[in-house]
Amino acid sequence: MTLNVGILVFPQVQQLDLTGPYEVFASTPDTRVHLVWKDLEPVASATGLPLVPTATFATCPPLDVLCVPGGAGVNALLEDEAVLGFLRERAGQARYVTSVCTGALVLGAAGLLAGKRATTHWNALDFLPRFGAEPVEARIVQDGTLITAGGVTSGIDFGLAVVAALLGREEAETIQLMLEYAPEPPFRAGTPREAPAEIVARARTRFAGSRAAREAIVARLGPF
């Protein structure tokens, strides 16, 4: 039986949040990956890469996996009732509801994190309790049928974990080998715990504008 994976694509999505798990899912036999948005017009990622939706909210087939990536465009989605309504509807039908990076905040705005353990990008973890979630500092967090992943590059790890949950470890390891996914980063600066304090401060400065806008939006949303 064919597995259907739906990944939300939207303006200013972080492309690696999307393309990392996409590569894993698309490498899985008998699996169709749908890039889902309101219409089929191309959208630009946060770094300018054009991405083309393949299904709309209306035409998207029943999904085994629903995935929301993150990125600067997440802020607009937090108050987008068309997006939030689609997620609420499909969450009740999918085998797994998932996110990568700040996509978790969109699940939160849809009311899908209440009472759940979840993770997101390190610079957004403190937003999770405001959506009724218990924040967990981890690469991947599973709470029942909810699977959330940390920042950006964790999308590949996440994709492999979802494949293992659906089809078993052997299939996930086969895909990992096919992709030669054996990361050895040149620097130990991938988390605030590892990076020098001045690098953490530098990164926070670059996030400041988007974070301030997000703070204002979440404050308007009220308690969950």
Side-chain angles (χ1 to χ4, degrees), residues 52-69:
V52 182
T54 61
T56 67
F57 294 165
T59 64
C60 181
L63 298 173
D64 296 283
V65 178
L66 173 63
C67 179
V68 183

Side-chain angles (χ1 to χ4, degrees), residues 143-156:
D143 189 333
T145 59
L146 174 73
I147 304 176
T148 54
V152 192
T153 60
S154 64
I156 299 175

Side-chain angles (χ1 to χ4, degrees), residues 4 32 34 36 55-64 86 90 93:
N4 282 287
R32 293 187 63 197
H34 309 272
V36 189
T56 67
F57 294 165
T59 64
C60 181
L63 298 173
D64 296 283
F86 172 76
R90 294 310 184 99
Q93 304 166 7

